[in-house]
């Protein structure tokens, strides 16, 4: 091939999901991974090229990209953080890792238009009232077709929150950057004591930077079985915020960004499933229903 790499083994397909598939092959340069995103997340292919140019120390550098087919060929990035540590020392490890993600976001803040041009969806505060209406359409369809009375009640309650949601969007500063939108230890490559690289950008959106903490903070509470105010959650959160300024002055902004980011997460679920919900059919409604929790919290 043009990169001077030849396959020396059989091709395996370890993951197939509604939102895409990944293939693995051994080559003369070591293992490589071919990712073929689904049609709604194919923007990930040009995005990899853009990130490798703008923030190369934080991402994998693609070996090859096929824009016509929507494929990206990536080198092996080594084991994921989850494979190395499981849930052990999770709070301490994320206290070291999340500031690296904050640095990536700071470096990308001047490049919002480039991210949009690559196909990243706009979820900045100014457009989120419109996105709220789009999310309501998604949950409304599910509530109607499911025939579930509780789903209909939840959808009706959410619809009644539009005015408050719109008002709170206006309170959020435009601190826009790339929101990974699924930032957990299985999407982080590298050792717990080293620099890491962030992987799997198919859920990403352009949003308030702090909304990226929705998934990591939720994961910490669930995997460690602690409350949202536990020190094992606060330490990683504050380490992330310190990259932007004084954590004590930014916590309320983070809570609001994550609360608003639940609408983005709802729409990310919808575009990933693209008509084939399967076991995740109720995920958009459950995500939007969590707006009743007044920050990044989800119900227990």
């Amino acid at each position: 091939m043009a990169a001077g790499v030849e396959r020396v083994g059989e091709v395996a397909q370890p993951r197939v999901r509604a939102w895409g598939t990944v293939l693995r092959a051994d080559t003369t340069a070591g293992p490589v991974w071919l990712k073929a995103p689904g049609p709604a997340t194919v923007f990930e292919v040009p995005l990899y090229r853009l990130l490798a140019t703008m923030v190369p120390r934080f991402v994998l550098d693609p070996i090859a990209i096929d824009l016509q087919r929507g494929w990206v060929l990536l080198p092996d990035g080594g084991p994921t953080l989850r494979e190395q540590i499981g849930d052990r020392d999770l709070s301490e490890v994320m206290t070291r890792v999340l500031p690296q993600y904050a640095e990536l976001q700071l470096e990308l803040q001047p490049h919002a238009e480039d991210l949009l041009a690559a196909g990243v969806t706009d979820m900045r505060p100014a457009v989120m009232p419109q996105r709220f209406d789009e999310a309501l359409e998604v949950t409304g369809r599910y509530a109607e077709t499911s025939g579930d009375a509780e789903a209909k009640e939840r959808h009706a309650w959410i619809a009644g929150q539009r005015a408050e949601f719109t008002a709170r969007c206006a309170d959020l500063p435009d601190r826009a950057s790339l929101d990974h939108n699924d930032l957990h230890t299985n999407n982080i490559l590298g050792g717990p004591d080293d620099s890491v690289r962030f992987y799997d950008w198919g859920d990403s959106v352009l949003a308030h930077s702090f909304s990226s903490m929705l998934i990591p903070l939720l994961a910490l509470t669930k995997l460690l079985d602690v409350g949202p105010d536990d020190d094992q959650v606060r330490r990683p959160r504050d380490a992330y915020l310190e990259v932007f300024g004084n954590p004590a002055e930014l916590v309320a902004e983070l809570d609001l960004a994550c609360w608003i980011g639940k609408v983005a997460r709802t729409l990310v679920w919808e575009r990933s499933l693209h008509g084939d919900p399967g076991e995740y059919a109720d995920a958009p409604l459950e995500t939007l229903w969590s707006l009743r929790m007044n920050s990044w919290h989800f119900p227990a």
Side-chain angles (χ1 to χ4, degrees):
M1 58 185 292
V5 178
E6 296 182 5
R7 180 165 62 86
V8 296
E10 295 299 317
V11 175
Q13 191 174 23
R15 286 191 289 277
V16 181
R17 298 288 188 270
W19 46 87
T21 187
V22 175
L23 293 88
R24 181 191 184 279
D26 290 321
T27 75
T28 54
V32 298
W33 298 81
L34 177 72
K35 184 166 188 179
T41 57
V42 73
F43 72 91
E44 186 181 9
V45 174
L47 179 58
Y48 258 108
R49 175 178 288 168
L50 184 66
L51 295 179
T53 300
M54 294 182 172
V55 285
R57 64 193 175 103
F58 294 116
V59 297
L60 296 174
D61 187 7
I63 298 169
I65 284 176
D66 188 326
L67 294 176
Q68 185 174 0
R69 292 187 176 96
W71 296 349
V72 56
L73 185 66
L74 297 166
D76 186 68
T80 67
L81 206 53
R82 182 176 300 174
E83 289 170 331
Q84 295 180 76
I85 69 166
D87 301 338
R88 175 179 52 84
D89 301 326
L90 183 60
S91 177
E92 288 73 16
V93 169
M94 293 305 281
T95 299
R96 294 192 292 270
V97 167
L98 290 180
Q100 296 182 54
Y101 184 75
E103 291 172 15
L104 173 150
Q105 289 186 301
L106 279 178
E107 292 184 24
L108 288 176
Q109 279 184 359
H111 301 289
E113 295 305 317
D114 296 310
L115 293 168
L116 292 174
V120 178
T121 302
D122 192 350
M123 297 281 187
R124 289 174 291 184
V127 303
M128 288 310 291
Q130 175 187 336
R131 301 299 184 219
F132 183 87
D133 292 338
E134 295 169 6
L136 275 180
E137 290 182 16
V138 172
T139 59
R141 286 195 302 270
Y142 170 74
E144 194 63 35
T145 58
S146 70
D148 187 318
E150 184 178 48
K152 292 179 180 179
E153 291 176 4
R154 291 182 174 187
H155 172 74
W157 179 88
I158 296 163
Q161 307 308 305
R162 190 188 190 284
E164 179 184 359
F165 184 85
T166 299
R168 296 191 72 186
C169 286
D171 292 337
L172 191 61
D174 187 9
R175 196 190 296 266
S177 189
L178 191 62
D179 173 1
H180 186 285
N181 215 271
D182 198 22
L183 189 58
H184 53 69
T185 53
N186 221 28
N187 287 330
I188 301 171
L189 305 171
D193 298 316
D194 304 320
S195 297
V196 299
R197 285 174 290 183
F198 302 97
Y199 170 73
D200 194 2
W201 295 95
D203 287 342
S204 60
V205 297
L206 179 67
H208 188 289
S209 297
F210 297 174
S211 62
S212 289
M213 291 300 101
L214 176 61
I215 299 303
L217 296 180
L218 284 171
L220 283 164
T221 60
K222 291 181 178 180
L223 294 174
L224 298 176
D225 194 23
V226 297
D229 295 322
D230 191 277
D231 193 48
Q232 294 181 86
V233 178
R234 293 201 312 267
R235 283 199 312 271
R237 179 202 67 189
D238 290 352
Y240 168 82
L241 288 175
E242 281 177 0
V243 177
F244 296 92
N246 183 347
E249 297 174 358
L250 296 173
V251 168
E253 186 177 335
L254 180 144
D255 284 349
L256 179 56
C258 289
W259 185 78
I260 290 172
K262 293 175 179 181
V263 171
R265 181 69 180 165
T266 299
L267 292 171
V268 164
W269 267 116
E270 171 67 10
R271 80 180 183 194
S272 296
L273 300 173
H274 59 85
D276 184 21
E279 63 181 301
Y280 302 106
D282 64 344
L285 178 59
E286 288 301 308
T287 302
L288 208 57
W289 174 236
S290 72
L291 285 173
R292 71 191 191 277
M293 310 294 287
N294 195 25
S295 73
W296 55 266
H297 307 174
F298 267 59

